[in-house]
């Protein structure tokens, strides 16, 4: 059955008709208008979304089959075996030639920003509540500077964050399988997927939560991701009635098997028979005024700009909290510094931050107290009279925002960034920016295991590039 140009579910036994080859665009726009105005739409992209875009190697982002053949040439000789899957070939290359594999992925999956069309940039400028991507390419990073609208875009890797951000300040572009900073250890091969399934996957869980309360636009994927279905089933077992009440979502794809379309339609996911460019030119364009409203709503929903704060203000606003659970393992708060819960540790005294400049990297394993150490260092810097700024990657902080603030500063100031690895690929550029400030101090905190991905070129060489391990 087809209604309003969209594929709608027929109940079992009633038959089934595929989506119209020319959907009723006005009907689709009407269906999406309300959620767009509310800033309530969620985006989900798969491999088909960016396949065919120009990359920095002067070719195009490869399809799955093309990528398999490229990786085959790294690990095997002769003609590619058509019976071998991309996942299998990737697994062999990961074991046999990881450096060559990394170079290939970075070359072929780094998007040429100058070649992005208005239709593709429109996806980035739309007022999505959140965006999830199965892709490891850097589409969001490449297009962030030229996307329409003034909302910041923050690419984040599921392999480097513990929890999805709640802030609407910037569009969180969440790479479910990792991004180029993670290669070659992205989630790609069968063994990597198996390993991923053994532990709680916070972002897939959040995606399913979004699916139950917000309309999702799926594009470039036929939704064959086991993790997605795993969490949907867990959610259904927990509360069967909840999924029955989920809003209608939309799958944008030029083709889809009849059985697959029927199955998804039964789950309130309707097929729109368009590709990404067509949907942008025909549907997103038709939602221009609603998109403007949605941007204002999202901006107003998170107007308190506390992402980068002066430590003087943070300490001044802190009050002793007898209910603090810091000693039970909770994340430290500024109020915890006021009592005796966060007594200084001997190794911290050996860190001469009061007059230091350059970059100081503070690392440790989970639960060792990296955040607490950073907060105490911030308090010392503030007491020494240096202008001291504080921010955390957990606040959906983007390097664009940090760099903009840094450019307004000058001379003797300190910037401390907790969970700095969550800022994403532009963290290295932030470090380079501050090298030109002879008196500025940048203090970064993160887990030891994340340093190689967050700062692949990091090398503590002298007094201006130091590393401290929290014991």
């Amino acid at each position: 059955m087809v209604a309003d140009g969209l594929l709608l579910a027929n109940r079992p036994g009633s038959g089934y008709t595929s989506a119209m080859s020319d959907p009723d665009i006005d009907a689709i726009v009407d269906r999406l208008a309300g959620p767009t105005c509310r800033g309530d739409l969620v985006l989900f992209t798969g491999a088909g979304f960016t396949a065919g875009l120009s990359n920095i190697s002067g070719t195009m982002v490869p399809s799955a089959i093309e990528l398999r053949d490229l990786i085959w040439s790294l690990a095997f000789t002769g003609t590619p075996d058509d019976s071998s899957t991309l996942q299998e070939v990737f697994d062999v290359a990961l074991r046999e030639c990881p450096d060559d594999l990394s170079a290939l992925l970075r070359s072929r999956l780094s998007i040429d920003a100058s070649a992005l069309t208005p239709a593709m940039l429109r996806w980035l400028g739309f007022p999505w509540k959140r965006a999830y991507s199965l892709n490891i390419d850097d589409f969001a990073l490449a297009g962030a500077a030229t996307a329409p609208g003034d909302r910041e875009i923050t690419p984040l890797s599921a392999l480097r964050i513990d929890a999805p951000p709640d802030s609407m300040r910037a569009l969180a572009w969440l790479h479910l399988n990792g991004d180029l900073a993670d290669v070659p250890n992205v989630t790609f091969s069968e063994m990597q997927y198996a390993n991923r399934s053994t532990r709680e996957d916070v972002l897939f869980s959040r995606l399913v939560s979004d699916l139950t309360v917000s309309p999702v636009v799926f594009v470039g994927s036929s939704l064959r991701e086991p993790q997605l279905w795993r969490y949907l089933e867990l959610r259904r077992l927990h509360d069967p009635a909840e999924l029955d009440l989920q809003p209608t979502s939309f799958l944008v794809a030029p083709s889809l098997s009849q059985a697959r379309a029927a199955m998804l339609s039964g789950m309130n996911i309707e097929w729109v028979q368009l590709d990404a460019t067509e949907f942008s030119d025909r549907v997103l364009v038709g939602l221009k005024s609603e998109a403007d409203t949605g941007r204002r709503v999202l901006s107003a929903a998170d107007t308190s700009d506390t992402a980068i704060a002066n430590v003087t203000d943070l300490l001044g606003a802190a009050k002793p909290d007898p209910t603090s659970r810091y000693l039970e393992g909770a994340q430290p708060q500024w109020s915890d510094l006021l009592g005796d819960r966060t007594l200084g540790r001997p190794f911290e005294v050996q860190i001469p931050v009061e007059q230091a400049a350059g970059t100081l990297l503070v690392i440790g394993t989970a639960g060792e107290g990296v955040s607490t150490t950073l907060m105490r260092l911030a308090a010392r810097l503030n007491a020494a009279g240096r202008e001291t700024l504080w921010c955390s990657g957990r606040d959906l902080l983007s390097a664009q925002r940090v760099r903009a603030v840094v450019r307004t500063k000058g001379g003797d100031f300190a910037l401390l960034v907790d969970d700095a690895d969550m800022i994403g690929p532009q963290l290295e550029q932030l470090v380079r920016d501050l090298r030109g400030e002879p008196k500025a101090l940048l203090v970064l905190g993160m887990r030891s295991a994340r340093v190689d991905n967050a700062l692949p070129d990091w090398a503590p060489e002298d007094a201006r590039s130091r590393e401290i391990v929290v014991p």
Side-chain angles (χ1 to χ4, degrees), residues 250-282:
F250 306 90
L251 176 67
V252 180
S255 62
L256 197 66
S257 73
Q258 184 171 333
R260 186 104 192 138
M263 184 198 82
L264 295 174
S265 186
M267 303 182 69
N268 218 19
I269 300 174
E270 301 179 356
W271 176 30
V272 179
Q273 194 173 11
L274 299 171
D275 64 25
T277 295
E278 291 170 334
F279 190 89
S280 175
D281 287 339
R282 301 176 67 184

Side-chain angles (χ1 to χ4, degrees), residues 6 43 86 171 255 263 317 371:
L6 297 175
L43 177 63
L86 170 59
L171 171 60
S255 62
M263 184 198 82
S371 296

Side-chain angles (χ1 to χ4, degrees), residues 12-25:
S14 63
Y16 187 83
T17 305
S18 61
M20 292 176 64
S21 59
D22 187 17
D24 185 340
I25 301 302

Side-chain angles (χ1 to χ4, degrees), residues 234-245:
L234 288 172
R235 189 95 179 194
R236 185 190 67 80
L237 292 173
H238 176 71
D239 187 357
E242 183 181 56
L243 292 183
D244 291 337
L245 299 175

Side-chain angles (χ1 to χ4, degrees), residues 155-157 159-162 179 181-182 361 392-394 397 417-427 444-455:
L156 296 169
S157 166
L159 306 185
R160 299 198 305 273
I161 62 175
D162 295 321
D179 59 23
D182 298 310
L361 180 62
S392 171
R394 290 180 178 272
L397 192 67
V417 187
D418 195 18
D419 291 306
D421 55 287
M422 294 176 66
I423 288 181
Q426 293 192 46
L427 179 62
L444 305 175
M446 69 181 74
R447 293 188 188 177
S448 306
R450 296 174 178 170
V451 174
D452 288 344
N453 283 331
L455 295 169

Side-chain angles (χ1 to χ4, degrees), residues 13 31 84 145 164 190 207 217 226-227 237 247 269 299 347 365 431 461:
R31 297 279 292 277
S84 296
E190 291 177 353
L207 168 61
V217 175
Q227 286 286 76
L237 292 173
I269 300 174
S299 176
F347 81 94
T365 57
V431 173
E461 299 170 347

Side-chain angles (χ1 to χ4, degrees), residues 63-229:
S63 66
I65 295 297
E66 292 168 340
L67 185 58
R68 181 203 65 182
D69 292 349
L70 289 168
I71 298 174
W72 175 278
S73 66
L74 300 178
F76 301 94
T77 58
T79 304
D81 172 15
D82 286 341
S83 64
S84 296
T85 67
L86 170 59
Q87 289 75 18
E88 293 166 344
V89 176
F90 183 95
D91 190 69
V92 175
L94 179 62
R95 184 176 66 251
E96 300 293 334
C97 48
D99 291 341
D100 290 340
L101 176 62
S102 297
L104 172 68
L105 293 176
R106 290 195 175 99
S107 171
R108 296 307 181 101
L109 300 181
S110 292
I111 306 299
D112 180 0
S114 67
L116 288 174
T117 65
M120 293 305 294
L121 290 171
R122 199 175 294 120
W123 286 97
L124 287 172
F126 204 75
W128 308 106
K129 182 168 125 181
R130 257 179 297 279
Y132 299 87
S133 181
L134 296 171
N135 304 334
I136 66 172
D137 60 53
D138 66 349
F139 168 74
L141 185 62
T146 51
D150 56 3
R151 190 181 183 199
E152 293 178 0
I153 300 167
T154 305
L156 296 169
S157 166
L159 306 185
R160 299 198 305 273
I161 62 175
D162 295 321
D166 291 315
S167 173
M168 296 293 106
R169 181 180 294 110
L171 171 60
W173 195 277
L174 303 166
H175 290 271
L176 295 169
N177 292 324
D179 59 23
L180 290 180
D182 298 310
V183 297
N185 299 312
V186 291
T187 307
F188 216 103
S189 72
E190 291 177 353
M191 295 304 297
Q192 288 170 324
Y193 277 106
N195 178 272
R196 185 91 172 265
S197 67
T198 63
R199 59 187 186 274
E200 176 71 13
D201 202 316
V202 178
L203 287 188
F204 268 105
S205 180
R206 181 58 171 269
L207 168 61
V208 170
S209 296
D210 279 341
L211 184 59
T212 61
V213 297
S214 299
V216 180
V217 175
F218 299 93
V219 56
S221 171
S222 56
L223 302 186
R224 299 182 185 275
E225 287 66 46
Q227 286 286 76
L228 172 62
W229 299 115

Side-chain angles (χ1 to χ4, degrees), residues 254-330:
S255 62
L256 197 66
S257 73
Q258 184 171 333
R260 186 104 192 138
M263 184 198 82
L264 295 174
S265 186
M267 303 182 69
N268 218 19
I269 300 174
E270 301 179 356
W271 176 30
V272 179
Q273 194 173 11
L274 299 171
D275 64 25
T277 295
E278 291 170 334
F279 190 89
S280 175
D281 287 339
R282 301 176 67 184
V283 177
L284 299 187
V285 165
L287 290 164
K288 185 180 183 305
S289 62
E290 290 83 358
D292 290 340
T293 301
R295 292 187 193 97
R296 290 193 294 270
V297 168
L298 290 172
S299 176
D302 194 9
T303 56
S304 57
D305 191 1
T306 59
I308 304 174
N310 193 297
V311 171
T312 299
D313 297 333
L314 294 172
L315 290 171
K319 294 179 173 56
D321 180 8
T323 67
S324 170
R325 302 184 63 185
Y326 170 74
L327 296 179
E328 300 174 24

